[in-house]
Each structure stands twice: as C-alpha cells, then as structure tokens.
Amino acid sequence: MVSLLVPALWVLLSFFAYHANSTPYAGRPRQSAGCTVNYFQGIVPSGISIQSVQHVTTGSFSERGNLGYPTFPSGLPSLCAIIVKNDTANYRFGMFLPDTWNSKLLVIGSYAFLGGINWLDMGAGVQYGVATLATDTGHNSGAGDMTWPTTNQLRVNWAYQALEGSITLGKKLIQSYYNDRQIAYSYYSGCSTGGRQGLKQIQRDPDMFDGALIGAPAWDTKNLMPWISRLAMWNLPEDADGSISDQGLLSRLQAEVLKQCDPLDGMQDGIVSSLSACREQFDISQISCDVSTNKTSCWTQAQIETVQKMYSDYITEDGEFVYKGLDYSSEAEWGTFLMPAALNDANNVRRNFDAQYERTFMNYGSRWQITSYNDSVVDDSRARDKKSVQASADQFDLGSFRDKGKIIMYGGLADATVPVQHTTLYYDSTVEAMGNVDDFFRYFQIPGMGHCWTSPTSSKYNVPWMIGGAGQAAQVPPYTAGSSVPGFKDKEHDALLALMDWVENGNAVSQIIATGFNFTDSTGQSVRVHRQRPLCAYPRAATYDGQGLQNDASSWQCT
Ligand SMILES: *[C@@H]1O[C@H](CO)[C@@H](O)[C@H](O)[C@H]1NC(C)=O
Ligand SMILES: *[C@@H]1O[C@H](CO)[C@@H](O)[C@H](O)[C@H]1NC(C)=O
Ligand SMILES: *[C@@H]1O[C@H](CO)[C@@H](O)[C@H](O)[C@H]1NC(C)=O
Ligand SMILES: *[C@@H]1O[C@H](CO)[C@@H](O)[C@H](O)[C@H]1NC(C)=O
C-alpha cells in the first residue's frame, strides 16, 4: 500500500510543481514537507492562488518576466520560494522560507514606482536566517515607467494595500509551513519608496512589526511628487538662459561645494559633513565665469538663480510650505530629475517622468503637459491622497507602536532624490507630536551618502555608508550573493542586526559604524575596507579625536 502511494504522490506533486511554472519538486525539504503547490493551495483561503512553489537547492532563484526587479539573488541557502496571488485585488507576493529558520520574518520594501517582487533584497535578507517576504505592489513595471496607475485599485495597491494584505496572509502561511511554529519577531527593511511603505504600515497597524529599518523614506508622496514637477518647471524651457541642461555644470557645482564646504566641518576628507555650515558660507559666485569660454563648466547668473531656487524650500505663491530644498553636496544626483534620460527618449525624465505623476496618478490624462504646472497641483495632490489613495506616510504620532516596536531611520546627507532635510522633517515632526522618542525611534544621518547607497565622489564606494541597509549589499561584491556588510556581519556595523538586538535584548542603538570600501581591481570583483566611521543618533554627529587614524572608527566619537 505504502509503496503504491508514494510514487502516486510523487507524480501528483511533480505535476503541480510543473504546472505552477517552476522547476520540478526536487526533494523533501528538511524542515517541512510543505514546499509544494499542493500544500499551499490546500491552506490558502478562497480568492488566493498559488502561482509557483520551488524548493531551491542550487543557490539561485529567478522569476521570468519581472520588469521591476530583473536582477536575481544567488548564493541562497536551501529554501522554499513561493509566489502567492490575491486574485481579487490583483497583487502578488513572494516569500523565501529557509529550510533552517530562526523564527523571524523580514519584510522587504520596494523602490520608486517599480512593479515586481524584489527577490534580490529578499535574497540578502534570507542570509540572516529569517524568512523574507516582498510584494510586487500590484503591478509589473520597469524603471521610469509611470504609465501603469490607470485605476484606483492599482494606486491603492502601490500605496499600501498590496503590502498590508501580503504581510497579513504571509504571516499565516509561514506559521503553517513551519508546523505552527510562531513567528518570534517581525522586521521590516526598505529604502526610498520602501522607507515610505514601512512607515505607512507602522502608522496603519502598530502591531505589524517589532522593528523597522527605514532608509530615506519617500514618506511625503503628495508633496514630493509636485515638488519634482516644480523643479522641472524652474528649469524650463530648455532654451532659457537659466536652464541647466548639461551634467557637466552639475559636476562643476558639486566640485565647488566640496572644495568650499568639506573643510568647514573640521576634516578635509572628501565628505561634506556639516550641511548647515555649508548653507551659511557657500559662495556660489565662484562658479560663474565667461560662458563663451566653456559652456559645460561656466555658469550664467540666470543659471545660478535657478539653482538657488532649488536649494530653497518650495513655498507656494500663497506662502505655503510644500517641500524641503535640495541639499548641498547632492548636486551630482540632480540629473535624476533635471536631465533628459536621452534626447527624444520616451522616458525622457524631464519631460515625461516629471509630468507622469499628474497624468496617471492624478488622472489628468496623457495630454497634460508639465508646462501647465502651477501651485494648485499641490492642493489637488493633497486632496486626492487624503480622499482616496493614501500613499503618504504622514502621520507623526506613531501611537502604540512606541510600546512594542523600534525604528532605526537613516538618510544620506548627499541625497537629491529624497532630500535629507525632508527625512529630518519627518523625525522632527514625530518628536514634536510625541515628545522625546529616544526610547523607540532613532535617526542616523550618513554624511556623503546619496540616495540609499550612492555617493557622489569620484570613487563611489569609499564614502563610509554601508550599514546593511536595504539594497546596499548588492552594491559591492559578491553582488547578487551579498548580504549585511562584507566582513562585518555584527551589530556594531549592521543596522539591521543592531535593530534586532535593540528589539530582542533591549540594547538601544546610539551609534552604527559605517564602512566604506575601495575596489582593489579594475573589474570590481574585490574590495578592501578603506575607512570606517561611526554614525551617530541625531542630533549628535561624529567628531574626530584629533589623534588617531582618520579612517578608523575608534578615532571618532559621537558628540
Ligand atoms: C485580497 O485583497 C482584498 C482587497 O485588498 C482583501 O479585501 C482580501 O482580504 C484579500 N484576501 C486575502 C485572503 O488576503
Ligand atoms: C570645460 O571645463 C571642463 C571642466 O573643467 C573641462 O573638462 C573641459 O575640457 C573644458 N572645455 C573646454 C572647451 O575648455
Ligand atoms: C493650474 O493648473 C491646473 C492643472 O493643470 C489647471 O486646471 C488650472 O486651470 C491652472 N490654474 C491656473 C490659474 O492657471
Ligand atoms: C582607497 O582609495 C583611496 C582613493 O580613492 C586611497 O587614497 C586609499 O589609499 C585607498 N585605500 C586602500 C586601503 O586601498
């Protein structure tokens, strides 16, 4: 009897696995026999379908047709990879369930307006021994594509619903899969849109996570997106005297800011660490020269006036504050919103992405032009966000989350995509709403870091910014197999491990040592530590002791 049943079951399982568009069932997982479509189909409620289940033993996983996240992880521990779909709301989520599980869950955030499951960051996460989960946010789309938000369901999925529904169901599936073992701790890690999603989820349901690592959160969607359009407008038309249409000009400005402001923070190290000193003392007139001698490095007075608007907060003609200005030392990243991706490109950033939020997200229609922008778009964006989409994570009182969870938030001082001043505004507003929040919420500014992981100096990696934040590990070798901080997988250097220690053992985090690497070969396959420096819980900052090696973290103190 048994000998007859086993092959029959085997065939059945293989059949399901095959038809779920995955590689055939490769063997009995060590922890659970449940890594099959059949198992999951049997435990999900109606309206949910299991799209694929695969027991991954090769270290690699990929999903065909994923437009938002086309890079896939490698070096994976053996695990069960599963894709679940909510057929009603039309969103999907993926999970990596490791064979050897430490009873923790790590939810992974998304980026920008991308649609797809972020398997790469899930792969970095699963190396901590946790189960990981990420949603596709309800659509499939690549970089620069803002054509997808055609219905309110699609917008709301991206705003929060896909993530919330995915975590709620995902938690149940995880516990069943591991034979009813409870999830001991639930964590979150995301940067940019991922940072927004994490804050939003905490605001919507303070019981969802025990700890969240929030990078450069694009929390203020309703104001952020009109601000991007405003930036574009300040720079238009392209043939105006004040328009900045050459990346060379931005590089020139960046270099001048570095030259003048790097020494102001007491240490000439290629990093502008005091934005306030720079803001007070920077002499922009140094970049003006006779344009006829060099158009890509000499600035006209009109162009200087344009960037001065961009450095300033966006205030409407009625005097209403909308968004914080771009930060000094972030100039190399300004091209994201100011330069055309390519001339005549359908995804031309300046003419298209900047207007696309209004066209699709705000439903103004495809014929709406950025040149029609005026301050009323801000009011309308706010009204729509409040009334229906609710993408903005703009609640400052985090309520009962304080009693159960911890937040570590970080932002790069050289971030021009989500200006760090606006990240600081979130933190300051929370303090204003709740009083001192040190007991559960700490914020770390990262000098020299751009958006999430970039840095503008000539060598991208030797600014110390690696702290195990979302997406950072994939920036250095072993790239797709990366996780944590290479060589420093401990709570002193990895913000996620520091967060776990805070949540689980009550050790509050007052500093995190950030690491900067050098590539040691031209192919970028190996790195060596260049320098390490503590990041300090805001409003404190790291100061050099004047004696030790500048590149050693021990020569710095949070003061
Ligand atoms: C599917 O999504 C809808 C819309 O968000 C939600 O009401 C429903 O609860 C979800 N189903 C499950 C089983 O999560
Ligand atoms: C203009 O200035 C840039 C930056 O200093 C330099 O690389 C380039 O060679 C200059 N071009 C001319 C025509 O002098
Ligand atoms: C401002 O822009 C909106 C949206 O394009 C448009 O409907 C409105 O007429 C404009 N208002 C003025 C005063 O131009
Ligand atoms: C890293 O690169 C910098 C210049 O970018 C150089 O000064 C430094 O010596 C390098 N450090 C190591 C350890 O290779």
Side-chain angles (χ1 to χ4, degrees):
M1 189 66 187
V2 169
S3 60
L4 271 178
L5 253 179
V6 170
L9 192 63
W10 172 256
V11 168
L12 194 68
L13 294 174
S14 306
F15 176 85
F16 273 104
Y18 178 76
H19 282 270
N21 193 19
S22 63
T23 59
Y25 183 66
R28 202 180 157 88
R30 267 170 275 147
Q31 289 296 309
S32 166
C35 189
T36 62
V37 169
N38 207 20
Y39 171 76
F40 283 103
Q41 199 72 72
I43 61 170
V44 292
S46 66
I48 300 292
S49 53
I50 301 299
Q51 290 208 319
S52 91
V53 177
Q54 187 179 331
H55 191 227
V56 176
T57 54
T58 57
S60 306
F61 175 83
S62 63
E63 179 203 3
R64 221 170 295 153
N66 185 332
L67 295 176
Y69 302 86
T71 309
F72 297 97
S74 58
L76 297 169
S78 114
L79 54 79
C80 188
I82 153 166
I83 303 177
V84 182
K85 184 176 181 204
N86 181 316
D87 298 317
T88 324
N90 217 20
Y91 61 76
R92 305 182 314 141
F93 63 97
M95 294 194 292
F96 276 156
L97 308 177
D99 286 0
T100 304
W101 182 49
N102 65 9
S103 299
K104 301 180 199 179
L105 167 65
L106 177 65
V107 175
I108 300 292
S110 311
Y111 297 109
F113 290 89
L114 299 179
I117 295 166
N118 183 358
W119 298 105
L120 186 62
D121 289 354
M122 285 169 65
V126 84
Q127 310 270 5
Y128 293 90
V130 302
T132 56
L133 177 155
T135 176
D136 68 356
T137 70
H139 69 279
N140 188 24
S141 73
D145 179 356
M146 275 282 276
T147 57
W148 59 266
T150 47
T151 66
N152 215 47
Q153 177 70 65
L154 284 160
R155 294 178 197 117
V156 171
N157 271 346
W158 177 83
Y160 65 86
Q161 206 171 67
L163 183 66
E164 185 165 292
S166 299
I167 302 170
T168 306
L169 176 60
K171 281 185 173 180
K172 291 182 189 147
L173 299 183
I174 290 169
Q175 290 185 172
S176 299
Y177 175 76
Y178 289 111
N179 305 315
D180 294 328
R181 209 159 119 202
Q182 289 291 309
I183 294 173
Y185 297 101
S186 296
Y187 294 101
Y188 180 86
S189 176
C191 193
S192 196
T193 278
R196 176 192 66 81
Q197 290 171 299
L199 288 178
K200 182 80 192 171
Q201 203 51 56
I202 287 168
Q203 293 165 12
R204 287 182 54 82
D205 180 359
D207 294 323
M208 203 65 112
F209 306 123
D210 299 290
L213 181 58
I214 305 289
W219 62 272
D220 201 9
T221 317
K222 63 186 191 301
N223 293 313
L224 167 64
M225 300 312 293
W227 169 74
I228 292 171
S229 300
R230 193 75 192 86
L231 282 182
M233 278 293 283
W234 277 324
N235 206 34
L236 286 174
E238 274 112 339
D239 57 6
D241 287 348
S243 183
I244 302 146
S245 305
D246 194 298
Q247 185 68 36
L249 289 173
L250 295 178
S251 304
R252 170 75 186 93
L253 178 58
Q254 170 93 40
E256 188 63 29
V257 168
L258 192 65
K259 182 176 155 207
Q260 292 186 37
C261 295
D262 181 11
L264 298 180
D265 54 41
M267 166 79 67
Q268 200 144 357
D269 56 0
I271 300 172
V272 177
S273 297
S274 174
L275 294 188
S276 55
C278 190
R279 209 162 261 280
E280 273 164 32
Q281 297 183 46
F282 184 60
D283 173 13
I284 199 166
S285 70
Q286 298 299 314
I287 60 173
S288 88
C289 49
D290 183 355
V291 177
S292 66
T293 64
N294 194 330
K295 244 173 59 185
T296 62
S297 108
C298 286
W299 284 67
T300 64
Q301 189 53 37
Q303 287 169 328
I304 287 175
E305 280 161 22
T306 302
V307 299
Q308 277 170 327
K309 289 180 195 154
M310 294 174 177
Y311 281 131
S312 305
D313 294 351
Y314 172 16
I315 312 272
T316 66
E317 281 172 18
D318 297 339
E320 216 180 313
F321 169 78
V322 181
Y323 210 80
K324 289 287 187 183
L326 286 164
D327 298 295
Y328 286 88
S329 80
S330 73
E331 297 78 9
E333 274 188 22
W334 291 15
T336 310
F337 296 142
L338 296 183
M339 295 298 143
L343 285 177
N344 307 319
D345 186 332
N347 286 329
N348 179 326
V349 169
R350 184 193 292 186
R351 288 290 195 180
N352 202 335
F353 178 82
D354 292 343
Q356 210 55 266
Y357 172 77
E358 287 86 349
R359 286 176 182 165
T360 56
F361 226 85
M362 294 180 66
N363 215 16
Y364 286 6
S366 60
R367 296 220 307 269
W368 189 84
Q369 293 299 323
I370 189 76
T371 45
S372 306
Y373 183 89
N374 62 45
D375 286 342
S376 79
V377 173
V378 176
D379 298 328
D380 197 19
S381 174
R382 289 173 177 175
R384 285 167 191 264
D385 192 67
K386 189 170 180 186
K387 190 168 133 252
S388 55
V389 180
Q390 295 176 35
S392 302
D394 50 6
Q395 218 170 287
F396 303 125
D397 187 338
L398 299 175
S400 61
F401 185 75
R402 172 173 224 154
D403 305 325
K404 75 157 302 213
K406 310 285 183 221
I407 300 171
I408 291 179
M409 183 169 78
Y410 59 91
L413 291 189
D415 189 338
T417 307
V418 177
V420 72
Q421 290 190 87
H422 217 79
T423 302
T424 306
L425 178 66
Y426 184 81
Y427 180 82
D428 289 344
S429 304
T430 304
V431 171
E432 205 175 300
M434 303 184 80
N436 187 311
V437 293
D438 277 358
D439 56 311
F440 83 106
F441 183 6
R442 298 202 180 183
Y443 168 41
F444 296 82
Q445 295 185 331
I446 309 183
M449 184 173 86
H451 194 50
C452 298
W453 54 71
T454 57
S455 41
T457 43
S458 51
S459 171
K460 199 170 148 191
Y461 300 102
N462 57 26
V463 168
W465 51 249
M466 277 205 82
I467 53 164
Q472 291 186 338
Q475 308 304 314
V476 297
Y479 300 106
T480 59
S483 178
S484 185
V485 181
F488 300 91
K489 192 173 183 174
D490 55 55
K491 62 185 165 61
E492 283 72 40
H493 301 84
D494 180 323
L496 187 59
L497 291 174
L499 176 70
M500 289 179 179
D501 188 48
W502 191 10
V503 168
E504 295 168 30
N505 306 314
N507 297 319
V509 185
S510 49
Q511 69 162 47
I512 302 160
I513 296 173
T515 304
F517 294 93
N518 276 7
F519 284 117
T520 55
D521 60 344
S522 56
T523 56
Q525 291 309 304
S526 54
V527 285
R528 178 165 46 212
V529 173
H530 173 44
R531 48 180 160 177
Q532 291 184 313
R533 194 173 291 183
L535 307 174
C536 306
Y538 174 89
R540 291 184 304 155
T543 22
Y544 175 55
D545 68 8
Q547 293 160 28
L549 292 172
Q550 291 180 14
N551 291 342
D552 281 0
S554 61
S555 311
W556 296 74
Q557 273 186 336
C558 290
T559 53

